[in-house]
Amino acid sequence: MTGRAVVTGVGHYLPERIVPNSEFEAMLDTTDEWIKSRSGIERRHFAADGEQTSDLAAHAARAALADAGNKVDDIDAIILATSTADLTFPSAATMVQAALGMTRGFAFDIQAVCAGFVYALSTANAMILSGQARRVLVIGAETFSRILDWSDRSTCVLFGDGAGALVLEYQDGSGTSQDRGILAIDLNSDGRHKDLLYVDGGVSTQTTGYLRMQGNQVFRHAVEKLASTAETSLEHAGLTADDVDWIVPHQANIRIIKGTAKKMGVDMDRVIVTVQDHGNTSAASIPLALSVGKARGQIKPGDLLVTEAIGGGLAWGSVVLRW
Ligand code: UT7
């Protein structure tokens, strides 16, 4: 028998306010046509005043718990991927723990920007397989609207707010790629590229700062690194791109999503795409896409999924899992 960390529930939450591209036309030298054709984004959600990352995360967590048929007391740990925590400390994960009324177990945040959810899945998987936790709530939640420079048209039109969550639970498996659950993981980072995508402030500088990105440079790295990490984790699982039912990519740009699928030889009808409705929600984008993909009836039990993401660091990685 080989233990596996299996997804038993999924859920998401999007703030009420939907902002179409046309709202940016009124305040910036940009057009709906430019945003759509360069990124695939048509609209995004922005959190309301006073609505914080842990609020979004708690909504998504409740939805995932309900989908899994679990109560809060069934959960051993909360791992929350975010770069936009409510406060410098404590972690947003402990705020979610309090909001859910969870008085046991442990909770902490992970920060790997847009690759955060892949890193969080990897951490949860390791904890489950080592016996440290049996059931883990893994959340990606962001309020990137709070770190956008509204005068920078090259970044502020690209990002959105939201949250998605999974319940991952230990189950016995056969040790083959037919098992449900996480089958393989590949993580990478290369800090030499830290200046391509960053926030120009932080606690240690006593400022909040704004997101800065050399978009076309990040773009150049993205397709190559995403296809490569997906192929590496598939290889670790003893599988190939032909076995994949769904690529569930980080939703940053439709051109990156299409380029990666093409490089892997996977048709777009096997790719979950939500970027048009959510924009780039950083660590929230993969669990949001998983939840929406399931709700649309695209992702079904037993399907083989590969998720991949890249972002600030650069940090990137992928996870192969059977739903
Ligand atoms: O999730 C984390 C990882 N992040 C990403 O994956 C983002 C990766 N990068 C991208 O998605 C794309 O690079 C962008 C969507 C950000 C930009 O697309 P691009 O095709 O790489 O365009 P560009 O940055 O090379 O800019 C082309 C032109 C520039 O004008 P000039 O210098 O050619 O005259 C920009 O100033 O487009 C201009 N531009 C805009 N024009 C209208 C930049 N932003 C806008 C805008 N509206 N909002």
Side-chain angles (χ1 to χ4, degrees), residues 239-300:
L239 297 165
T240 71
D242 289 344
D243 299 307
V244 172
D245 293 299
W246 295 105
I247 300 179
V248 188
H250 169 49
Q251 310 282 323
N253 186 316
I254 191 65
R255 290 153 58 215
I256 295 175
I257 293 171
K258 284 183 176 167
T260 306
K262 189 171 177 204
K263 214 164 174 29
M264 292 175 65
V266 173
D267 289 341
M268 280 304 290
D269 59 6
R270 288 194 284 145
V271 182
I272 303 291
V273 180
T274 58
V275 68
Q276 70 282 3
D277 297 325
H278 302 165
N280 183 345
T281 57
S282 189
S285 92
I286 287 176
L288 265 167
L290 288 167
S291 184
V292 169
K294 182 190 168 188
R296 282 180 189 155
Q298 293 174 300
I299 300 174
K300 297 194 184 63

Side-chain angles (χ1 to χ4, degrees), residues 24 28-35 37-41 113-115 144 152-159 196-197 211 213-220 222-223 226 250-256 280-283 285 309-312 314-315:
F24 290 96
L28 287 166
D29 180 16
T30 191
T31 59
D32 172 46
E33 179 49 32
W34 189 96
I35 301 169
S37 63
R38 294 296 176 115
S39 72
I41 298 164
V113 205
C114 297
F144 259 50
D152 177 7
R153 66 176 184 171
S154 71
T155 55
C156 74
V157 301
L158 301 174
F159 295 87
L196 296 186
L197 174 49
L211 183 148
M213 177 166 73
Q214 295 178 42
N216 48 11
Q217 297 297 317
V218 177
F219 195 105
R220 271 198 323 114
V223 172
L226 290 173
H250 169 49
Q251 310 282 323
N253 186 316
I254 191 65
R255 290 153 58 215
I256 295 175
N280 183 345
T281 57
S282 189
S285 92
I310 186 165
L314 295 175

Side-chain angles (χ1 to χ4, degrees), residues 8-9 64-75 135 167 169:
T8 57
L65 285 172
D67 190 45
N70 285 131
K71 298 206 166 17
V72 153
D73 286 344
D74 301 328
I75 299 297
R135 202 175 282 114
V167 177
E169 140 184 323

Side-chain angles (χ1 to χ4, degrees), residues 43-306:
R43 59 193 73 81
R44 74 287 291 140
H45 293 245
F46 284 149
D49 287 348
E51 194 176 30
Q52 301 191 338
T53 294
S54 70
D55 300 321
L56 276 49
H59 283 300
R62 286 190 194 98
L65 285 172
D67 190 45
N70 285 131
K71 298 206 166 17
V72 153
D73 286 344
D74 301 328
I75 299 297
D76 299 319
I78 298 175
I79 303 179
L80 171 48
T82 189
S83 300
T84 49
D86 307 22
L87 299 177
T88 302
F89 71 76
S91 66
T94 55
M95 295 183 183
V96 173
Q97 191 185 22
L100 296 179
M102 177 178 162
T103 53
R104 56 179 290 276
F106 58 95
F108 63 98
D109 290 355
I110 279 193
Q111 206 267 59
V113 205
C114 297
F117 195 75
V118 169
Y119 277 62
L121 279 181
S122 172
T123 306
N125 183 57
M127 290 188 145
I128 287 171
L129 297 190
S130 69
Q132 240 181 311
R134 190 170 178 88
R135 202 175 282 114
V136 181
L137 200 46
V138 190
I139 310 170
E142 303 278 17
T143 47
F144 259 50
S145 61
R146 306 279 153 70
I147 50 167
L148 296 176
D149 175 351
W150 301 110
S151 66
D152 177 7
R153 66 176 184 171
S154 71
T155 55
C156 74
V157 301
L158 301 174
F159 295 87
D161 301 338
L166 299 181
V167 177
L168 268 187
E169 140 184 323
Y170 179 92
Q171 290 183 9
D172 286 330
S174 65
T176 72
S177 61
Q178 288 311 306
D179 289 343
R180 288 187 65 207
I182 293 180
L183 302 176
I185 298 168
D186 178 58
L187 298 185
N188 311 269
S189 63
D190 185 345
R192 288 175 300 175
H193 303 302
K194 62 182 170 37
D195 297 335
L196 296 186
L197 174 49
Y198 64 102
V199 172
D200 61 1
V203 188
S204 202
T205 59
Q206 294 189 289
T207 58
T208 305
Y210 294 106
L211 183 148
R212 306 293 175 205
M213 177 166 73
Q214 295 178 42
N216 48 11
Q217 297 297 317
V218 177
F219 195 105
R220 271 198 323 114
H221 286 280
V223 172
E224 184 218 317
K225 287 184 165 51
L226 290 173
S228 162
T229 182
E231 277 155 12
T232 301
S233 55
L234 282 166
E235 198 180 314
H236 287 164
L239 297 165
T240 71
D242 289 344
D243 299 307
V244 172
D245 293 299
W246 295 105
I247 300 179
V248 188
H250 169 49
Q251 310 282 323
N253 186 316
I254 191 65
R255 290 153 58 215
I256 295 175
I257 293 171
K258 284 183 176 167
T260 306
K262 189 171 177 204
K263 214 164 174 29
M264 292 175 65
V266 173
D267 289 341
M268 280 304 290
D269 59 6
R270 288 194 284 145
V271 182
I272 303 291
V273 180
T274 58
V275 68
Q276 70 282 3
D277 297 325
H278 302 165
N280 183 345
T281 57
S282 189
S285 92
I286 287 176
L288 265 167
L290 288 167
S291 184
V292 169
K294 182 190 168 188
R296 282 180 189 155
Q298 293 174 300
I299 300 174
K300 297 194 184 63
D303 281 355
L304 187 82
L305 273 47
V306 58

